[in-house]
Amino acid sequence: MIENKLNEFFNKKDEWNAFITICKDDAYAQAGKIEKKKLSGKEFPLEGMIAGVKDNICTKGVRTTCGSRMLENFVSPYDATAVKRLKESGAVIVGKTNMDEFAMGSTGRNSFFSQAKNPLNTNKTPGGSSGGSAAAVASGLVDIALGTDTGGSVRQPAAICGIVGFKPTYGRISRYGLIAYASSFDTIGIMAKTTEQIKSVYKCISGFDPKDSTSSKHPAKQKVFDTKALKIGIDKKLMEESESEIRQAVEKGIGVFEKSGAECEYFDFAYSELLIPVYFVTAYSQAASNLSRFDGLRYGFYDESIKNSEEVYIKNRTAGFGKEVKRRILAGNYFLTQGNPVSIYEKAQKCRKLIFSEYKKLFEKYDIIISPTYLGKTEDLNDNGAGNKFFSKNKYEKSLMPANICGFPAVSVPCGMGCDNMPAGLHMMSEKFTDEFLLDAADFYLKNKNAEKEGI
Amino acid sequence: MDFETVIGLEVHCELSTETKIFCSCKTSFGEEPNTNICPVCTGFPGVLPVLNKKVLEYSIKAGLALNCEIAETIVFDRKNYFYPDLPKAYQISQLYAPLCREGYININTEKGNKKIRIREIHMEEDAGKLIHSSEDERTLIDYNRAGVPLIEIVTYPDFSCAEEVLDFLTKLKAILLYTGVSDCKMQEGSLRVDVNLSVKEKNAESLGERTETKNLNSFKAVKRAIEFEESRQKNEILKGNIISCDTIHWDDARGIGFVMRPKESIEEYRYFNDPDLPKQLISREWAEEIRKSIPELPSQRENRYINEYNLTEYEAKIICASKALSDVFEKLCVLTENPKESSNWILGEVSRLYSVIGKEPEDYSFSAEKLAFIINKLADRGINRNTAKELFEKVFLDDADPEIIIKEEGLEIINDDSSIEEAVRKVLSENEKSVEELKAGKNKVEKFLIGMTMKELKGKGDPRKIIEIMKKEIEKL
């Protein structure tokens, strides 16, 4: 069965540039291994699943590019923990998915390789930075895909491509082998069409990893999902700041919960204006440090005309990194520079604590916080002015950031149509270590939404 | 103009854990380049550091042995800078919250005891090594040392001269060796000293501008570099020049230091908490366990030697300065039950032979059991002192077996009465003239006659017995 599925996959054309690298030999070899082990009685919970893995998650023997010229030919000597666990659970990895360079971007435009396209409308971007993973799932090429979510990079493309995108609690899925962008935000996430698939993959790849000091041993909070006892908070500002079509879609979505007896209430988030600055300052600063190792000496892009050690850094990094990556490194280094009395980075960390304590209070009142996933229109592929819209554009991503800033689990589920006949995403977030509860909520929503549509 | 010198130290010390600070690579010195490496210590994409618990244990141990307070939590920071020996382009270190604070070592100065305060001790990782190839003008990188655990011990500027610094370093090294946290081999770079030095007019309130001297590979180099920098700064001031905050590279072969790079007013390392290593609590129970595991320290041993073994302060201090030497001494005391004689051997022949071969007791060992055998044999008058010294030289250099040599070479002292009597009679009969002189009161002749007897016995006669028998025989005549 898996062989048929693989044949089908490798015969299909990737019309959406969802993949940077296809790994046919490895996939068949992996499938063969599973078949063999099955003969001796072993069972695999993810048997029959074919998966795409975002190209910033290391795979042994298959190149991991991060969507960058810097790592165009980089082959990792080891498997990321999430990849290892995925394989051990019986999933077959068929390729590495396209992404914005080093996960910096939300359209796929920053990929060194090609622009990924949205399977629902090939004139639109698939979102980003896990745009390739979203396109691979939405197009039906794969069952599930791993993405990474530093500031919404799993949830935003999932919303835009009309699938489910789940970012677990920070520390639940090991970051070992995930090429770091912003270490304290980076989270491996799962993308699929159904919550069942996400649940089963999450069960297999999550859990403490001794190789990642930030991975958690904290037990899951036992919380039973019951709509009658459910309290939902809705971020008023984020609703107001959304495009009207999207707001309406989300309001409808909220209605599904209300009808089932959940108590829904709008709230005002006091530090709304802090979200974007805190995110950018923290992420860019950590990125500046994390990306410093790319000098071409041990791996990665190397300019053969280099004459001395200073040129190693200048030439390799100038040519190896794209524009957006360099912009963020420059900004990050500025944020880290010793200020008077402290760096901008340190100030941002104080604000981060403030945001966290505010959300903690909200979670004393609400089980789930709902907002639109992405507040604006999905961008067209050929948007000439895209580069200049930077500051106006990221306001649409505000709802994504709290989950990264605070480490909360969050999920985006498709909820009808938004602007330009493109899907809207309903964003749900809950407190730390209530991942299973949150997925139950997502599951409930999807089932009841469909039931309504089908008139049951 | 009268000057005062103010000196502070930064001592980097490699910990002797089996494995590196954030990965499980070996730390062994002198391996083939790039064999003790893995994706973590060479900064491959996607890897993460995991703190080696042994490193923490050793660092806490060092801190406690140096009378420090131990922090309640561990936090690491990134020190960002580009250099080819630094694979991640940041060093994981501790800037904001060092593991240990406010310790001290008591040193001895001409004016008596002085407390040198330790400001902090923090943990960090070592960098790799650049090897410049002269053949093809290439630079090669060996990452074996990258990720080897270090502690940096920072003192307050409490020193006023090179002698104080040297006494401190000797004591520091001994403490680190006693606790077993480092092998302190300066020639292998396990102990590296940076000297911060400034001079000021006597009784001036504010400190002068300081320089930092690096690349000091021996205590001797530390002393010379301090003296050099002290006089350089004084001369500059006398010439009316201003001292700038420079880094000085010490060239030991030429005996001079030269300015490496002008330091910027604030070093910009863009420090921030390493998000890969979350804050971790140090349990007080564990710290207490570590405290209990600290063995007897040099100052405690010194006191015991003085009180129990009746050694002088000087003897005790010299022996205890080296853990290896003091361990030998302990064994000798047990095996010979003669601490004074053991101490004489350590301070005499043992020290002499170490300086002959130019090695430290920590780097070269010999069998204490065999020396004990020699000392006991000497005490039992089985061999004489010259034989004992010659034997020990063979033990020390070639690990020879003294028992076998004594037998094979017949070195045992002749002390049976009949052999000695025979020799004495022979000498007396062959030197009648001397015997006459002796009888006439010329006492000097006795020594000559004893010497002749010893010669007759091929140097192996028991001198006391010879004298005794000689007296009897002369009386008989």
Side-chain angles (χ1 to χ4, degrees):
Chain A
M1 174 204 155
I2 184 73
E3 210 179 307
N4 291 340
K5 232 172 152 178
L6 287 178
N7 292 342
E8 199 188 319
F9 173 83
F10 291 112
N11 284 331
K12 270 188 206 160
K13 202 169 164 280
D14 175 12
E15 293 164 39
W16 310 277
N17 296 327
F19 288 89
I20 290 174
T21 307
I22 295 287
C23 45
K24 198 173 176 180
D25 294 348
D26 286 78
Y28 279 107
Q30 161 76 354
K33 257 191 225 164
I34 293 165
E35 288 304 312
K36 217 171 151 192
K37 279 188 185 160
K38 266 169 60 191
L39 289 178
S40 56
K42 195 169 168 16
E43 280 174 40
F44 294 93
L46 302 183
E47 194 196 323
M49 220 178 232
I50 64 170
V53 170
K54 190 177 178 181
D55 214 15
N56 59 349
I57 304 174
C58 288
T59 43
K60 189 178 177 177
V62 176
R63 72 172 176 162
T64 300
T65 69
C66 262
S68 177
R69 186 186 190 193
M70 182 59 90
L71 294 178
E72 190 177 357
N73 300 307
F74 172 68
V75 179
S76 168
Y78 69 97
D79 269 335
T81 299
V83 166
K84 196 171 152 251
R85 290 182 179 174
L86 199 59
K87 284 181 180 171
E88 283 167 359
S89 309
V92 175
I93 296 165
V94 291
K96 302 298 291 290
T97 59
N98 205 349
M99 58 182 285
D100 286 289
E101 186 179 10
F102 284 98
M104 297 177 183
S106 52
T107 59
R109 282 196 191 96
N110 299 334
S111 168
F112 170 70
F113 295 91
S114 57
Q115 164 73 61
K117 295 174 192 170
N118 193 320
L120 303 177
N121 177 349
T122 49
N123 292 320
K124 295 276 186 186
T125 79
S129 64
S130 312
S133 288
V137 171
S139 62
L141 283 173
V142 296
D143 300 307
I144 66 110
L146 297 188
T148 65
D149 193 314
T150 304
S153 280
V154 159
R155 293 160 286 151
Q156 186 258 28
I160 285 175
C161 292
I163 59 168
V164 185
F166 171 54
K167 177 207 108 67
T169 301
Y170 181 85
R172 269 296 185 239
I173 298 179
S174 168
R175 290 189 298 119
Y176 187 76
L178 155 60
I179 299 178
Y181 159 22
S183 311
S184 60
F185 293 165
D186 291 345
T187 315
I188 289 179
I190 307 162
M191 304 160 98
K193 282 184 176 164
T194 71
T195 43
E196 284 84 1
Q197 286 167 311
I198 287 182
K199 278 182 182 176
S200 57
V201 172
Y202 175 66
K203 209 172 163 189
C204 293
I205 68 173
S206 60
F208 175 73
D209 177 13
K211 287 184 173 144
D212 174 4
S213 310
T214 62
S215 81
S216 179
K217 282 182 180 165
H218 199 288
K221 275 191 190 149
Q222 294 304 320
K223 204 170 173 183
V224 181
F225 180 77
D226 171 14
T227 46
K228 303 230 158 39
L230 197 64
K231 282 187 180 155
I232 293 174
I234 303 146
D235 192 315
K236 197 171 142 202
K237 271 193 204 123
L238 291 175
M239 292 295 275
E240 282 167 4
E241 287 168 21
S242 304
E243 296 286 337
S244 59
E245 291 96 327
I246 289 172
R247 185 170 59 242
Q248 281 156 18
V250 172
E251 278 166 355
K252 238 183 181 175
I254 295 164
V256 172
F257 286 101
E258 266 181 327
K259 261 179 216 153
S260 313
E263 200 180 300
C264 299
E265 184 181 291
Y266 281 79
F267 68 84
D268 263 312
F269 184 62
Y271 301 114
S272 194
E273 296 314 309
L274 284 180
L275 293 171
I276 290 174
V278 165
Y279 170 76
F280 283 130
V281 170
T282 308
Y284 291 11
S285 300
Q286 294 184 3
S289 175
N290 284 330
L291 269 60
S292 294
R293 72 185 62 196
F294 299 106
D295 54 19
L297 288 175
R298 295 161 305 276
Y299 47 78
F301 178 82
Y302 195 88
D303 181 338
E304 290 301 329
S305 75
I306 283 167
K307 294 273 184 297
N308 56 50
S309 65
E310 201 167 306
E311 276 185 14
V312 166
Y313 300 103
I314 296 168
K315 288 197 169 174
N316 289 341
R317 290 169 65 82
T318 301
F321 288 139
K323 204 172 149 192
E324 178 65 13
V325 171
K326 280 184 274 200
R327 192 183 71 80
R328 295 194 189 191
I329 290 173
L330 281 174
N333 279 323
Y334 172 71
F335 297 146
L336 285 175
T337 303
Q338 190 59 47
N340 187 15
V342 295
S343 63
I344 298 173
Y345 178 79
E346 272 183 72
K347 288 182 195 164
Q349 298 323 295
K350 286 201 183 111
C351 297
R352 195 181 167 186
K353 279 187 188 139
L354 215 58
I355 293 169
F356 183 77
S357 65
E358 199 61 24
Y359 270 107
K360 240 181 131 183
K361 278 185 225 157
L362 287 171
F363 279 126
E364 281 165 16
K365 270 163 103 178
Y366 310 121
D367 302 301
I368 291 171
I369 288 173
I370 285 184
S371 64
T373 307
Y374 186 66
L375 315 187
K377 276 186 190 173
T378 304
E379 284 189 39
D380 291 335
L381 276 190
N382 302 312
D383 187 341
N384 291 329
N388 302 325
K389 282 204 294 194
F390 179 78
F391 287 103
S392 60
K393 192 178 68 179
N394 61 42
K395 71 174 189 210
Y396 292 139
E397 293 169 3
K398 230 186 204 174
S399 63
L400 298 162
M401 285 157 191
N404 300 95
I405 291 172
C406 305
F408 298 137
V411 63
S412 174
V413 290
C415 76
M417 286 301 162
C419 315
D420 299 345
N421 214 25
M422 293 297 286
L426 176 90
H427 188 267
M428 291 187 270
M429 182 165 79
S430 60
E431 62 179 323
K432 273 186 169 185
F433 305 114
T434 58
D435 301 76
E436 289 78 5
F437 169 81
L438 183 68
L439 288 174
D440 283 345
D443 199 40
F444 169 85
Y445 169 73
L446 288 175
K447 291 210 168 104
N448 287 275
K449 169 187 97 167
N450 290 341
E452 203 168 278
K453 205 192 280 171
E454 285 156 22
I456 301 169
Chain B
M1 213 191 277
D2 267 354
F3 289 105
E4 269 173 14
T5 305
V6 178
I7 305 167
L9 300 179
E10 285 167 30
V11 182
H12 284 91
C13 168
E14 274 185 2
L15 299 177
S16 51
T17 51
E18 289 274 311
T19 54
K20 293 186 179 180
I21 182 165
F22 297 121
C23 63
S24 51
C25 288
K26 288 213 171 83
T27 54
S28 47
F29 179 82
E31 304 284 343
E32 280 286 302
N34 296 315
T35 51
N36 284 351
I37 58 168
C38 74
V40 175
C41 56
T42 49
F44 263 62
V47 298
L48 295 168
V50 177
L51 178 62
N52 177 349
K53 207 177 171 198
K54 209 82 195 163
V55 170
L56 181 59
E57 183 192 320
Y58 278 27
S59 307
I60 293 174
K61 211 169 182 178
L64 291 171
L66 295 168
N67 309 300
C68 291
E69 294 158 19
I70 308 298
E72 306 211 329
T73 53
I74 319 153
V75 188
F76 283 100
D77 305 302
R78 291 187 184 178
K79 179 181 183 179
N80 296 283
Y81 64 96
F82 288 104
Y83 202 66
D85 67 3
L86 192 67
K88 300 187 294 297
Y90 59 82
Q91 180 195 33
I92 303 178
S93 180
Q94 293 188 293
L95 176 80
Y96 298 112
L99 179 68
C100 318
R101 281 184 205 270
E102 302 303 325
Y104 64 88
I105 293 181
N106 284 320
I107 62 162
N108 310 107
T109 70
E110 287 172 351
K111 291 175 206 152
N113 284 345
K114 181 172 177 180
K115 187 183 256 187
I116 302 295
R117 294 167 304 152
I118 291 165
R119 199 181 71 199
E120 65 171 71
I121 303 176
H122 61 254
M123 299 179 277
E124 58 188 27
E125 55 180 342
D126 212 342
K129 230 176 184 174
L130 297 187
I131 301 156
H132 303 284
S133 157
S134 50
E135 282 168 37
D136 51 5
E137 292 183 332
R138 282 193 310 169
T139 299
L140 303 169
I141 314 174
D142 177 5
Y143 289 112
N144 280 353
R145 210 180 62 183
V148 166
L150 290 177
I151 48 173
E152 183 176 341
I153 302 161
V154 186
T155 75
Y156 282 96
D158 285 352
F159 302 96
S160 58
C161 62
E163 285 69 29
E164 291 181 2
V165 169
L166 251 47
D167 195 50
F168 175 87
L169 289 174
T170 308
K171 291 208 155 75
L172 174 67
K173 188 177 160 184
I175 292 168
L176 295 172
L177 282 169
Y178 274 62
T179 45
V181 299
S182 172
D183 62 20
C184 294
K185 290 183 180 167
M186 283 192 97
Q187 68 280 14
E188 290 179 9
S190 343
L191 196 71
R192 309 197 281 267
V193 183
D194 298 338
V195 171
N196 291 310
L197 186 148
S198 65
V199 297
K200 59 167 186 163
E201 257 183 80
K202 201 162 186 167
N203 301 325
E205 271 182 26
S206 60
L207 292 175
E209 196 66 61
R210 69 184 170 89
T211 61
E212 185 179 9
T213 305
K214 286 179 179 285
N215 192 42
L216 302 167
N217 295 322
S218 66
F219 284 4
K220 220 168 131 189
V222 171
K223 185 169 188 282
R224 292 172 74 203
I226 288 174
E227 283 159 359
F228 172 89
E229 186 56 19
E230 213 172 3
S231 76
R232 187 188 74 89
Q233 287 192 19
K234 282 179 193 168
N235 287 334
E236 292 291 322
I237 292 170
L238 287 175
K239 275 190 244 163
N241 293 335
I242 290 166
I243 305 293
S244 58
C245 185
D246 288 327
T247 300
I248 311 269
H249 182 91
W250 176 250
D251 184 336
D252 203 43
R254 287 155 70 197
I256 54 166
F258 51 88
V259 175
M260 222 154 63
R261 54 163 190 259
K263 273 199 179 177
E264 287 158 34
S265 51
I266 307 167
E267 284 170 334
E268 189 47 74
Y269 288 119
R270 287 161 284 130
Y271 279 102
F272 70 104
N273 285 169
D274 192 336
D276 290 334
L277 292 158
K279 200 188 245 187
Q280 219 177 306
L281 275 172
I282 302 171
S283 100
R284 292 296 105 179
E285 291 80 36
W286 189 49
E288 204 39 52
E289 262 174 54
I290 295 171
R291 185 193 296 280
K292 281 180 192 146
S293 76
I294 294 173
E296 188 183 37
L297 293 174
S299 56
Q300 296 165 322
R301 259 197 193 179
E302 272 177 51
N303 288 335
R304 184 160 59 83
Y305 289 179
I306 294 165
N307 297 329
E308 284 182 25
Y309 296 150
N310 285 319
L311 300 195
T312 64
E313 230 172 85
Y314 171 79
E315 288 168 333
K317 191 185 158 187
I318 302 250
I319 293 173
C320 292
S322 152
K323 178 172 189 287
L325 213 52
S326 148
D327 285 345
V328 168
F329 175 71
E330 301 263 313
K331 269 193 198 164
L332 292 180
C333 288
V334 172
L335 296 170
T336 67
E337 290 174 19
N338 190 345
K340 202 77 196 173
E341 179 69 4
S342 299
S343 155
N344 289 342
W345 273 89
I346 297 277
L347 298 175
E349 280 306 286
V350 174
S351 300
R352 183 183 72 81
L353 286 168
Y354 272 119
S355 64
V356 166
I357 63 166
K359 281 188 179 154
E360 296 290 320
E362 264 65 34
D363 307 327
Y364 185 87
S365 63
F366 65 91
S367 160
E369 287 77 11
K370 286 173 180 170
L371 175 56
F373 174 83
I374 293 170
I375 294 173
N376 287 334
K377 198 83 183 163
L378 181 64
D380 296 344
R381 289 198 273 143
I383 49 174
N384 65 33
R385 196 163 281 277
N386 277 339
T387 307
K389 284 182 183 174
E390 280 163 28
L391 273 176
F392 175 61
E393 193 163 324
K394 285 174 186 158
V395 167
F396 185 87
L397 298 174
D398 308 320
D399 195 32
D401 187 332
E403 207 171 350
I404 292 174
I405 298 179
I406 288 170
K407 266 190 198 140
E408 281 179 357
E409 298 185 14
L411 299 175
E412 193 115 24
I413 280 181
I414 298 169
N415 54 9
D416 63 306
D417 290 2
S418 60
S419 313
I420 294 174
E421 273 167 19
E422 196 184 313
V424 167
R425 280 177 199 144
K426 191 173 174 228
V427 168
L428 293 183
S429 67
E430 281 169 5
N431 297 283
E432 282 178 16
K433 205 180 146 197
S434 302
V435 176
E436 291 303 316
E437 283 172 9
L438 184 65
K439 279 183 172 170
K442 225 177 168 185
N443 285 333
K444 256 177 31 189
V445 183
E446 192 185 357
K447 265 195 185 154
F448 165 74
L449 291 170
I450 290 167
M452 291 304 285
T453 313
M454 195 56 118
K455 205 175 163 192
E456 189 61 33
L457 293 165
K458 295 189 175 101
K460 291 178 286 179
D462 180 343
R464 274 190 274 180
K465 253 207 169 121
I466 294 175
I467 294 165
E468 200 180 293
I469 290 173
M470 175 97 50
K471 268 189 184 144
K472 278 184 196 160
E473 289 299 318
I474 288 172
E475 275 166 22
K476 276 189 204 166
L477 288 175

